[in-house]
Amino acid sequence: GQQLNQSPQSMFIQEGEDVSMNCTSSSIFNTWLWYKQDPGEGPVLLIALYKAGELTSNGRLTAQFGITRKDSFLNISASIPSDVGIYFCAGPPRGNQFYFGTGTSLTVIP
Amino acid sequence: DSGVTQTPKHLITATGQRVTLRCSPRSGDLSVYWYQQSLDQGLQFLIQYYNGEERAKGNILERFSAQQFPDLHSELNLSSLELGDSALYFCASSPNLAGVSYNEQFFGPGTRLTVL
C-alpha cells in the first residue's frame, strides 16, 4: 500500500540551528501537507502545497513541493524550544485511503 | 484551537468492554475523519464520513464502527476491547469543497483510551 517515508526519524539540535526534513512517496502526489503535533495534542496544519516546485513559507517554516512530485521538504530556520514536536507530512487520498508520514521527532536543546 | 471538539479526553476501561468516542466537527465542515495513533504506529486512518454517509474506509477493525449524525457530529464505537486498542483516537474535519480533490484536515485534541 501507499507509504510516506519521512527522514530523519528524529533530530536533536541546538536552539538557533536550522532544521531540514523530508518526505518521500512511492507515487506521484498533487498535494502535500505538513503538520506539527505537540505531545498529547492533535496535529496542527503548518503548510499546504498544491503545485510541483511550489515554495511556501509560514514564518520561520518553509516547505517545498518536489519537482518529481514524489517528495516534499520542510525547513525550519533559527529553531526555538517551542519547535519541539513531531512533524508529519500527508498527501491526498489514494483509493479512499488517507496517509500520513512516519513522522520526524524534533528536540531542541536550549 | 482547531474548532474540532472531542469527548471524553481520557477513557480508562477493561478488556471486553465497549466505549463510544464523540466528535463535533468545525462549524460548516461536512467531513469527519477518525484516526488511531499508537506509540509505534503513527497516525492510522480508520474511516471518513461525509454529510452522514460513509465515504472512505481505512484500517478499521470489524469490532469498530462509526456513524455521523444529521447535526454532523460523529461517534466512534469500539467494542470487545483488547489491550492493543489502547491509543490516542483523533477526529478531524474538513469542508470538502466541491471540485477540490483534497481538503486540509483540522484535528481535535484527541481521546486517550487506556484498556486495562
Side-chain angles (χ1 to χ4, degrees):
Chain A
Q2 177 65 48
Q3 192 151 353
L4 296 179
N5 294 311
Q6 288 186 243
S7 65
Q9 188 174 9
S10 61
M11 304 180 75
F12 294 81
I13 61 167
Q14 289 288 138
E15 182 177 357
E17 288 183 356
D18 296 343
V19 172
S20 290
M21 61 187 78
N22 72 299
C23 183
T24 58
S25 164
S26 55
S27 57
I28 290 174
F29 279 5
N30 53 29
T31 302
W32 283 100
L33 305 176
W34 284 94
Y35 286 84
K36 181 194 176 205
Q37 185 177 24
D38 290 331
E41 304 290 331
V44 174
L45 181 67
L46 298 174
I47 292 179
L49 302 162
Y50 297 103
K51 193 174 168 183
E54 181 182 352
L55 190 72
T56 298
S57 293
N58 178 6
R60 294 177 297 104
L61 277 61
T62 302
Q64 184 162 23
F65 195 138
I67 56 173
T68 67
R69 297 171 63 191
K70 290 186 176 182
D71 55 11
S72 180
F73 308 88
L74 178 69
N75 297 310
I76 305 173
S77 62
S79 59
I80 59 178
S82 63
D83 290 333
V84 165
I86 302 177
Y87 292 79
F88 290 100
C89 61
R94 291 289 188 200
N96 290 335
Q97 279 273 10
F98 291 82
Y99 293 96
F100 277 72
T102 49
T104 292
S105 174
L106 178 63
T107 300
V108 179
I109 304 166
Chain B
D1 185 351
S2 66
V4 178
T5 60
Q6 289 187 248
T7 57
K9 192 161 176 63
H10 300 278
L11 197 49
I12 301 174
T13 188
T15 54
Q17 295 297 306
R18 173 190 168 95
V19 297
T20 297
L21 313 184
R22 183 189 168 103
C23 168
S24 292
R26 294 186 322 156
S27 176
D29 283 358
L30 299 179
S31 269
V32 168
Y33 311 79
W34 286 98
Y35 290 86
Q36 180 192 56
Q37 188 177 38
S38 305
L39 274 176
D40 58 351
Q41 292 291 326
L43 277 163
Q44 299 293 319
F45 168 66
L46 296 178
I47 198 164
Q48 178 204 1
Y49 277 81
Y50 173 74
N51 203 20
E53 295 189 1
E54 182 183 306
R55 171 67 69 89
K57 214 166 187 176
N59 301 319
I60 187 166
L61 299 172
E62 285 192 10
R63 300 183 286 110
F64 296 0
S65 65
Q67 53 184 329
Q68 186 179 26
F69 295 87
D71 66 352
L72 300 179
H73 91 271
S74 178
E75 293 181 354
L76 178 67
N77 300 297
L78 314 176
S79 61
S80 303
L81 285 167
E82 302 175 359
L83 295 177
D85 296 328
S86 295
L88 269 169
Y89 290 85
F90 288 104
C91 165
S93 75
S94 70
N96 268 105
L97 302 171
V100 178
S101 62
Y102 185 79
N103 293 124
E104 300 154 13
Q105 297 179 26
F106 297 87
F107 283 78
T111 292
R112 182 175 291 280
L113 174 66
T114 302
V115 182
L116 302 175

